[in-house]
């Protein structure tokens, strides 16, 4: 036995024993997953940052990551009141400190009373702290003009992404031509195509049975804000085609364009009345990562389900319980987002001033981005009505397209890689989101501070002109 064990050890040392898990033996669905927002171009950006720290000379002094909607990484200052409440919940001894306003202390005490052992370190129930779910329900009712919301239809989550993946997991079933198909917007946020690849669902009608329709409003990456009429049309289509609706509404506070307004799918669905209001299935999602808070790293969010079969909702609860619970700090910040200081509270004025300042600056950045890009030959940018991104279309010369193909790259990936190497600006190629054949785009956040955004936009426009000249 000792001899055989020794032989196996020698085989392993010589690399003769095959690993159990290899690229060939692993789950093929995972291999198909692609997530452009954190893809190869971002890996190269990280390498460039490391090279800069090591003193390697580059034609730029810093890498500007305009690839992801991470507000605080781009310099946005956290809103004061949510952080005060979170600090008090994490370290309750601070409740005795005179440095915190009384309304923050009251909110922290209320949250702690609802936690197991009155501690944020305890697990919550799988659907989230009940009191916070009730606060979310009241927020939805206020937002939607008094339309009732049931806390039992609300599940707190680890950011909106976690809840979206959970609902998609419930929907995916079947094999071959009966495999679940999901309609997603093109261009789309790559979470959807990545999750569908992981679950082995498909996006083409000829190869599947369509069962769900995903909508992002305000839009990512295009920044459009849907009109009420458009939402009604989507609901009618989903109803007629028997599609479960997923409404990704994480940017509902980010509406900038004059004449644009956020309408929740739930509100429109309810006001459409029968037969839609009582029968159309809907899951709508929100998050603390976007809006004015930008608390991405704390991973807080929720999903509200409407007209979901009661037995399926129990299965959803079971699925959530496997993950134990969403992070409690994210739940705290979500509670502040849905129940902020009231006008009579001492923190109200500062909270409102900080909130307005963040949203006003984002609106100014949206206008500036559209203006600068549309002044550049060969770049066209639609109005950034909402969300946090622009999605400009760029003209690329045929020789550049040919060179990209020789390198085995999508043409807009080639453009974005060259942009990164020569300017330090990191954006995401449109091919990672989907786009019309023969067109090229990139997605760029509008989050960099204004003093960096204008030079960034101008540098990007100048690079495009240089790139075009080089390959013409």
């Amino acid at each position: 036995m000792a001899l055989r064990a020794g032989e196996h050890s020698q085989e392993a040392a010589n690399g003769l024993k095959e690993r159990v898990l290899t690229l060939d033996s692993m789950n093929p669905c995972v291999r198909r997953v692609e997530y452009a927002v954190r893809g190869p171009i971002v890996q190269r950006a990280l390498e460039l940052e490391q090279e800069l720290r090591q003193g390697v000379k580059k034609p730029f002094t810093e890498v500007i990551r305009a690839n992801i909607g991470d507000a605080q990484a781009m310099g946005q200052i956290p809103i004061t009141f949510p952080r005060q409440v979170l600090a008090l919940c994490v370290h309750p001894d601070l409740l005795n400190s005179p440095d915190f306003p009384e309304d923050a202390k009251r909110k922290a005490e209320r949250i702690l009373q609802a936690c197991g052992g009155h501690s944020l370190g305890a697990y919550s129930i799988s659907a989230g702290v009940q009191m916070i779910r009730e606060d979310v329900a009241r927020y939805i009712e206020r937002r939607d003009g008094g339309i009732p919301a049931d806390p039992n239809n609300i599940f707190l989550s680890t950011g909106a992404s976690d809840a979206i993946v959970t609902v998609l997991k419930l929907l995916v079933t079947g094999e071959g031509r009966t495999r679940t198909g999901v309609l997603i917007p093109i261009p789309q946020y790559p979470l959807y195509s990545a999750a569908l690849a992981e679950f082995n669902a498909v996006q083409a009608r000829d190869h599947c049975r369509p069962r769900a329709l995903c909508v992002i409003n305000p839009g990512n990456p295009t920044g459009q804000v849907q009109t009420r009429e458009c939402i009604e049309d989507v609901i009618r289509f989903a109803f007629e085609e028997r599609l479960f609706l997923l409404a990704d509404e994480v940017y509902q506070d980010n509406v900038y364009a004059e004449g644009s307004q956020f309408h929740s799918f739930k509100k429109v669905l309810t006001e459409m009345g029968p037969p839609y209001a009582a029968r159309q299935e809907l899951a709508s999602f929100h998050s603390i990562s976007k809006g004015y808070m930008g608390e991405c790293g704390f991973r807080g969010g929720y999903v509200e389900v409407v007209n979901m079969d009661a037995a399926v909702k129990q299965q959803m609860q079971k699925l959530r319980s496997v993950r134990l619970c969403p992070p409690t700090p994210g739940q705290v910040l979500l509670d502040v987002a849905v129940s902020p200081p009231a006008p009579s509270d001492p923190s109200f004025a500062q909270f409102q001033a900080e909130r307005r300042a963040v949203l006003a600056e984002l609106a100014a950045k949206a206008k500036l981005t559209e203006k600068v890009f549309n002044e550049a030959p060969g770049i066209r940018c639609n109005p950034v009505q909402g969300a946090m991104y622009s999605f400009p279309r760029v003209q690329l010369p045929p020789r550049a397209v040919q060179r990209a193909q020789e390198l085995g790259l999508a043409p807009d990936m080639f453009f974005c890689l060259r942009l990164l190497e020569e300017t330090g600006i990191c954006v995401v190629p449109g091919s990672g989101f989907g786009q019309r054949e023969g067109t090229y785009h990139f997605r760029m956040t509008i989050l960099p501070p204004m003093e960096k955004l204008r030079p960034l936009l101008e540098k990007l426009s100048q690079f495009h002109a240089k790139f075009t000249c080089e390959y013409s």
Side-chain angles (χ1 to χ4, degrees):
M1 185 69 183
L3 178 63
R4 291 180 64 190
E7 288 172 352
H8 287 308
S9 298
Q10 189 60 46
E11 284 180 353
N14 293 336
L16 299 177
K17 184 178 179 181
E18 287 189 13
R19 288 186 172 89
V20 173
L21 188 61
T22 67
L23 276 176
D24 290 331
S25 66
M26 71 177 288
N27 184 339
C29 296
V30 174
R31 284 207 312 272
R32 289 198 293 271
V33 170
E34 293 185 5
Y35 188 59
V37 173
R38 291 179 182 260
I41 199 160
V42 182
Q43 294 304 311
R44 180 56 186 149
L46 292 170
E47 293 170 1
L48 288 170
E49 287 178 331
Q50 181 66 21
E51 291 172 16
L52 285 171
R53 284 193 291 270
Q54 293 170 348
V56 179
K57 296 297 181 184
K58 299 289 179 185
F60 47 86
T61 57
E62 67 172 331
V63 173
I64 301 177
R65 292 202 218 171
N67 61 294
I68 194 165
D70 190 348
Q72 293 184 28
M74 289 283 96
Q76 180 176 307
I77 305 299
I79 304 293
T80 302
F81 185 75
R83 289 299 186 92
Q84 289 174 328
V85 174
L86 181 59
L88 291 163
C89 287
V90 170
H91 190 49
D93 286 354
L94 294 173
L95 289 165
N96 299 317
S97 169
D99 297 330
F100 290 81
E102 290 303 312
D103 52 344
K105 292 180 180 180
R106 287 195 303 271
K107 180 168 280 293
E109 288 172 336
R110 179 172 176 264
I111 292 170
L112 289 171
Q113 287 296 315
C115 293
H118 308 318
S119 171
L120 211 60
Y123 287 129
S124 74
I125 63 173
S126 299
V129 174
Q130 180 64 24
M131 184 209 74
I132 298 177
R133 295 166 72 200
E134 292 168 359
D135 286 348
V136 171
R138 281 188 284 269
Y139 159 79
I140 293 170
E141 288 181 4
R142 290 194 308 272
R143 182 198 68 188
D144 292 345
I147 293 170
D150 184 349
N152 294 315
N153 289 335
I154 293 165
F155 298 81
L156 308 191
S157 56
T158 308
S161 302
D162 172 46
I164 291 167
V165 168
T166 296
V167 174
L168 287 173
K169 196 175 290 186
L170 291 171
L171 283 159
V172 174
T173 185
E175 298 293 338
R177 295 179 70 89
T178 66
R179 192 69 176 158
T180 292
V182 180
L183 284 75
I184 60 175
I186 296 294
Q188 52 96 27
Y189 178 47
L191 164 70
Y192 292 95
S193 54
L196 295 178
E198 181 182 350
F199 300 150
N200 199 29
V202 287
Q203 305 165 42
R205 186 167 196 155
D206 290 345
H207 305 284
C208 65
R209 178 188 165 205
R211 301 186 71 215
L213 169 61
C214 300
V215 182
I216 309 172
N217 180 49
N220 174 9
T222 57
Q224 90 292 338
V225 177
Q226 291 193 6
T227 63
R228 183 188 175 96
E229 292 73 24
C230 178
I231 293 171
E232 289 178 355
D233 288 343
V234 170
I235 291 171
R236 289 190 191 96
F237 174 79
F239 183 82
E240 290 163 4
E241 297 287 337
R242 298 189 68 240
L243 300 171
F244 189 106
L245 261 176
L246 290 84
D248 182 339
E249 299 175 333
V250 301
Y251 297 101
Q252 59 190 258
D253 290 314
N254 301 107
V255 177
Y256 318 121
E258 190 174 336
S260 294
Q261 181 182 350
F262 172 74
H263 302 277
S264 80
F265 265 76
K266 182 193 176 182
K267 183 175 191 288
V268 175
L269 172 63
T270 305
E271 291 178 347
M272 286 174 72
Y276 311 101
R279 292 168 57 191
Q280 176 60 49
E281 296 153 278
L282 168 70
S284 57
F285 309 89
H286 197 16
S287 166
I288 61 170
S289 299
K290 311 303 177 184
Y292 57 91
M293 288 181 68
E295 296 284 10
C296 305
F298 284 107
R299 313 307 300 132
Y302 73 80
V303 55
E304 181 189 23
V305 295
V306 177
N307 293 328
M308 178 178 273
D309 181 90
V312 173
K313 196 163 67 171
Q314 288 182 345
Q315 294 297 312
M316 182 172 175
Q317 176 63 52
K318 178 184 73 177
L319 201 55
R320 302 299 302 160
S321 68
V322 174
R323 307 286 289 273
L324 299 179
C325 74
T328 51
Q331 295 189 50
V332 170
L333 291 172
L334 177 65
D335 191 69
V336 178
V338 299
S339 57
S344 58
D345 290 334
S347 298
F348 177 78
Q350 181 182 2
F351 176 84
Q352 289 295 328
E354 291 176 358
R355 179 183 183 276
R356 281 195 297 267
V358 169
L359 294 175
E361 184 171 17
L362 285 169
K365 292 174 183 177
K367 288 182 180 178
L368 177 68
T369 300
E370 177 193 349
K371 177 177 182 293
V372 173
F373 278 149
N374 283 331
E375 288 173 351
I379 303 179
R380 286 294 170 266
C381 183
N382 287 338
V384 183
Q385 297 175 325
M388 297 178 170
Y389 316 96
S390 61
F391 195 66
R393 178 174 175 176
V394 287
Q395 294 178 2
L396 300 180
R399 284 184 58 217
V401 174
Q402 181 181 347
R403 181 57 181 151
Q405 291 168 344
E406 291 169 357
L407 295 170
L409 297 172
D412 47 13
M413 171 64 87
F414 177 54
F415 172 82
C416 291
L417 281 170
R418 283 285 305 273
L419 173 72
L420 175 63
E421 295 287 349
E422 296 186 27
T423 69
I425 298 170
C426 181
V427 297
V428 189
S431 49
F433 299 86
Q435 56 194 351
R436 185 171 293 157
E437 187 72 28
T439 67
Y440 310 109
H441 302 76
F442 61 85
R443 189 192 79 164
M444 189 194 89
T445 73
I446 61 170
L447 292 172
M450 192 65 87
E451 63 271 17
K452 287 187 177 182
L453 181 62
R454 182 181 285 277
L456 182 156
L457 293 167
E458 292 171 351
K459 188 184 291 188
L460 202 158
S461 300
Q462 290 163 5
F463 171 81
H464 177 262
K466 173 178 172 292
F467 182 87
T468 300
C469 183
E470 178 181 347
Y471 286 97
S472 292

